[in-house]
Amino acid sequence: MTSQHYTATVYEPDPSVDRVEALTAALSSAGFTDVSVEEQPLRGGGTSPEITASHPTTADAVTITPFQRDSASDEDDPLEISAIFHENVRLSSWERDAEYASFLDACVDLVREIAARLDPEYVALFWVEDWERVNPGGSPLADHVTVPPEVGVYSESLRTDLDGLKSLYDSVSVRREETDSDHEIVVRSDGPWSETAWGDVHNWAEPRRADIPLDGVTDLSDPLGSLEPGECGTDVVISRPNGSPTFSNEALTLEWCYRDESDALRRVADDSFVRRVVGDDGPVGELPADADPDDERVSALIQGSIPTAFVRSSGPNDETIVSTVMALDMETSKFDLLVRLAKVARVDNVDDDIVATIAEMVTKLGEMDDQDGIDAYIQRKIL
């Protein structure tokens, strides 16, 4: 098992439910096979059940330990069940290949099935290196759930205690659904989870400009809207979506562009139209005469609250933080990385020093060719 594995931890499950029976059923329902239960010795004496299973197409394994509270446990600690995935569960990499996408579907469905069968207060699927940040580490849970995991499941009572989930989530790409068990499941990824048992895509709630609170930290202005006519910058765009936008690496396109006198953004290479600058009330002005409405692109940077300092270039083809991130050869979501970097920058009011520091970090990422090393560097230096 890699030391950089993922874990799904279940907090405060219903104590009246037979955990082993519920967990084995959850694994089978989620599509895992070869489900088995073995008693494993405990260091203090006695045994505890350990459940193992594998995914049928990838052979990737999952091990679940339904912890039992003993007399030495701190009664203030949440009661936990831990599922260890022996393969990195990089949700942003769902397009890597069909088998990996199937494995990710099963992992996400397993979290959903566990919530339905064990009725927990909270379930978190996260990278084990994030343990100190994501693990609540105490009760009541509402006082300790402060960092959202990649997949989070929240009971109705926990959502009430948290006063909703807006305090946890921002403009990072999110899908969410309320289940029959009155849990809300939130996935911080743009994968096609509608193809699982979760329902059609229109049942997911995508954060939109109007839904994100203007709290002085989130900036929903167009980062290229601050450019003067003739000034150059880099935009990251997607085709205009029919439904909720998708910000996977494959969906994003980097555009080197400049702002013209009519508030249109045009490509540096050939002056062709990209999109209009976006103001508080939407796109500014009319479409240029040479523009086809179907060709106007949507900027991912507005959804990601990316600051102008990340996009402004000193010349037509000079690198920016955005262009450097987009050039990275990595599986990690580049959109999510830009959003996280923007958060870091805003802590220091996006001053020149912090922008220079972020540019150095991104350059360092570009020198790496190992995905696990990239993930570790992002966690250590950026998060």
Side-chain angles (χ1 to χ4, degrees):
M1 182 194 312
T2 174
S3 61
Q4 296 177 335
H5 58 268
Y6 274 71
T7 180
T9 305
V10 185
Y11 301 89
E12 298 186 2
D14 184 344
S16 67
V17 175
D18 184 310
R19 296 182 196 173
V20 173
E21 181 179 331
L23 291 167
T24 54
L27 283 163
S28 297
S29 294
F32 287 88
T33 57
D34 301 323
V35 180
S36 64
V37 182
E38 293 186 6
E39 292 292 326
Q40 298 294 333
L42 298 175
R43 282 181 294 180
T47 62
S48 179
E50 183 178 84
I51 307 166
T52 59
S54 60
H55 188 261
T57 61
T58 65
D60 293 316
V62 58
T63 301
I64 302 181
T65 305
F67 293 119
Q68 302 290 337
R69 191 191 298 278
D70 56 38
S71 59
S73 299
D74 187 336
E75 288 300 320
D76 289 333
D77 288 341
L79 192 56
E80 300 173 3
I81 293 171
S82 182
I84 302 296
F85 295 91
H86 298 223
E87 160 75 14
N88 276 344
V89 187
R90 295 194 184 99
L91 298 183
S92 60
S93 301
W94 59 270
E95 289 184 312
R96 191 175 80 184
D97 56 56
E99 289 185 351
Y100 191 69
S102 175
F103 168 65
L104 294 183
D105 267 346
C107 294
V108 175
D109 278 348
L110 176 59
V111 173
R112 182 181 186 275
E113 289 291 332
I114 288 174
R117 296 171 187 277
L118 286 170
D119 194 24
E121 284 295 298
Y122 178 50
V123 183
L125 172 66
F126 55 93
W127 194 40
V128 73
E129 296 291 334
D130 272 348
W131 180 265
E132 294 297 330
R133 298 174 61 251
V134 177
N135 177 45
S139 294
L141 284 170
D143 293 342
H144 296 83
V145 176
T146 58
V147 177
E150 288 202 45
V151 179
V153 182
Y154 305 85
S155 68
E156 184 176 22
S157 59
L158 180 57
R159 298 198 303 273
T160 299
D161 292 343
L162 289 169
D163 194 24
L165 299 179
K166 285 189 176 181
S167 62
L168 285 176
Y169 292 91
D170 51 30
S171 59
V172 172
S173 184
V174 169
R175 301 287 189 270
R176 65 187 185 187
E177 181 182 349
E178 191 162 322
T179 70
D180 293 339
S181 59
D182 291 329
H183 291 86
E184 188 163 324
I185 306 179
V186 183
V187 182
R188 295 185 61 190
S189 179
D190 52 10
W193 312 120
S194 60
E195 295 178 6
T196 70
W198 293 50
D200 296 330
V201 70
H202 67 267
N203 290 331
W204 296 100
E206 177 74 23
R208 298 164 301 188
R209 290 167 61 91
D211 296 334
I212 304 172
L214 297 174
D215 56 3
V217 176
T218 302
D219 179 7
L220 296 177
S221 59
D222 187 342
L224 283 89
S226 298
L227 300 181
E228 297 294 330
E231 194 172 10
C232 300
T234 49
D235 200 4
V236 176
V237 301
I238 60 174
S239 299
R240 186 167 297 279
N242 293 323
S244 297
T246 295
F247 300 126
S248 65
N249 290 346
E250 293 75 15
L252 302 177
T253 300
L254 175 69
E255 298 282 8
W256 298 84
C257 53
Y258 68 92
R259 181 173 182 172
D260 72 9
E261 296 289 343
S262 64
D263 296 323
L265 296 175
R266 294 184 175 275
R267 294 179 179 90
V268 168
D270 58 9
D271 297 323
S272 59
F273 175 71
V274 179
R275 66 177 178 87
R276 288 169 287 177
V277 167
V278 175
D280 292 338
D281 297 321
V284 176
E286 300 295 327
L287 278 172
D290 63 337
D292 186 324
D294 293 335
D295 291 338
E296 184 168 26
R297 298 295 183 254
V298 175
S299 177
L301 302 184
I302 300 175
Q303 293 284 344
S305 303
I306 307 304
T308 299
F310 281 27
V311 306
R312 181 182 276 119
S313 61
S314 54
N317 295 297
D318 289 345
E319 295 290 342
T320 66
I321 289 176
V322 164
S323 67
T324 307
V325 168
M326 291 302 296
L328 295 175
D329 181 13
M330 65 179 191
E331 297 176 1
T332 304
S333 168
K334 296 176 183 179
F335 175 75
D336 286 355
L337 176 57
L338 282 168
V339 170
R340 292 171 181 178
L341 290 169
K343 286 183 179 179
V344 172
R346 286 199 174 85
V347 171
D348 291 317
N349 297 315
V350 202
D351 64 24
D352 291 342
D353 288 341
I354 190 63
V355 171
T357 299
I358 289 172
E360 289 177 5
M361 290 192 294
V362 174
T363 300
K364 177 67 174 177
L365 282 172
E367 297 170 353
M368 298 180 179
D369 57 9
D370 174 68
Q371 181 63 45
D372 287 339
I374 288 172
D375 286 343
Y377 185 86
I378 291 171
Q379 296 290 333
R380 184 173 69 255
K381 292 292 189 181
I382 298 173
L383 300 183

